[in-house]
Amino acid sequence: MKASIGFIGLAVMGENLALNLARNGYTVAVYNRTTSRVDEFLQERGKGKSFIGTHSLQELVSVLQSPRIVFLMVKAGDPVDQMINRLLPILSPGDIIIDGGNSYYKDTERRVKTVEAKGLQYIGTGVSGGEEGALWGPSIMPGGSIGAWKTVKPILQAIAAKASGKPCCDWIGPGGAGHYVKMVHNGIEYGDMELISEIYAIMKRYLQMDYHDMESCFRIWNNGNLNSYLMEITADILGFKDADGSPLVEKILDTAGQKGTGKWTSEDALDRGVPLTLITEAVFARSLSDQKEARIQASQVYPQDIFSFQGDRQVFLADLHDGLYAAKIISYTQGFELLRKAGTTNDWNLDLGNIALLWRGGCIIRSSFLDKISDAYHTHPDLENLILAPAFQDSLHRGVQGLRKVLSTTLLAGIPTPALSAALSWFDGYRSAWLPANLIQAQRDYFGAHTYERTDTERGSFFHTNWTGHGGTTASTTYNA
């Protein structure tokens, strides 16, 4: 018996994806670097299912039908390169390697070229959904060798999540496009999680709500326009009790980990000149949370004032709800602006509306809100920015006012809200026909002869002023990062 696909890597995500493949009718040959893990898997969760256990890469390749498809679910970075180097000599032209890990998109672009030069095909695919998503249907974002898509399409779409009956998996583009889109997805995920945690902090520290009330509030909000997987699990977490009956989340240390995809997103935005302010603040917020001991020391030197809420709680909660929704719109706006810029500069021809549809099911940021984003891009294919879409304008007008009211009180109360604050600052900057950057440009020209454009001439003409009377007329090179 030959296997439909070979699977390498039986950690949490790999094991569940393999089970997903088997459940959807595929015979899967499995291999793990620690080969005893293969035997354990076949004796436990894989027992009685359509798996072929293998204990070497040569054995794995030998039991695959042609063209061979090998799915890698190993740690990103050098382990992927090592596995590719071991596979290339034993695979044949036309065979396909799929990398489903969180690889950096530039690594994927390099690997596509390397593998294609050997006559094989390579797909770098983003997979989102965590353990449950991998088992029952994740969002899958494949890109790379377009010639491989026809072969792997039925397999990947079979195991993907379904939203409105359609698989949350479609071709993204060439090179590293698939992993790039997954990277931005993870950046947006950072933003969503930070926004929700800031709302939690406001409820807990300013409104002094108990956990039962917070849980109820999140469940109610999840029935409306804030409906999402992250809102759902937040309600579950707030209602979860430890063995002693107290809220478990209270006993979890307030230091958030990260694996680097959020940082990659922010770095890429800086390289492309896209103001990804909210997501970047979310990344920095995790870094700040990691400085636990230093924060404890600082809290003793600069103790926080205790503010008790005065006013109508329900009115404030309505503002909090609307402000969160406005910030969410702004967060996704920034993320999709980065996708738009990258798709253009890399000639990926990214379909932004379709990408939103891929995220409706299976992935961590899945939400009903993504339908509106998809509709906005499909209705207005040349949409410059999501906040300009008619579908979001009323929500932003109302939500931004709520956000202003919330932040005006939390800032005085000393409650850190970096992502919520970044959302409002970006919005106010983007809607400003005038910004004080003219003074910055004058300063640059004063000390470095960097030149400036004038409001009374056509764009593209640059001028330099001898501000002190002692400088020369030579100007510095003009460029934009």
Side-chain angles (χ1 to χ4, degrees), residues 432-464:
S432 294
W434 176 86
L435 290 172
N438 57 330
L439 179 58
I440 294 173
Q441 200 62 11
Q443 292 169 335
R444 294 179 74 241
D445 190 57
Y446 188 109
F447 66 67
H450 291 294
T451 75
Y452 55 84
E453 295 176 273
R454 295 179 60 99
T455 59
D456 53 2
T457 62
E458 292 292 325
R459 291 294 306 268
S461 298
F462 292 87
F463 302 86
H464 167 57

Side-chain angles (χ1 to χ4, degrees), residues 176-196:
H179 273 136
Y180 186 90
V181 169
K182 174 55 166 43
M183 178 188 76
V184 176
H185 163 284
N186 284 23
I188 293 173
E189 178 184 310
Y190 273 58
D192 264 357
M193 294 171 73
E194 176 62 24
L195 288 171
I196 291 172

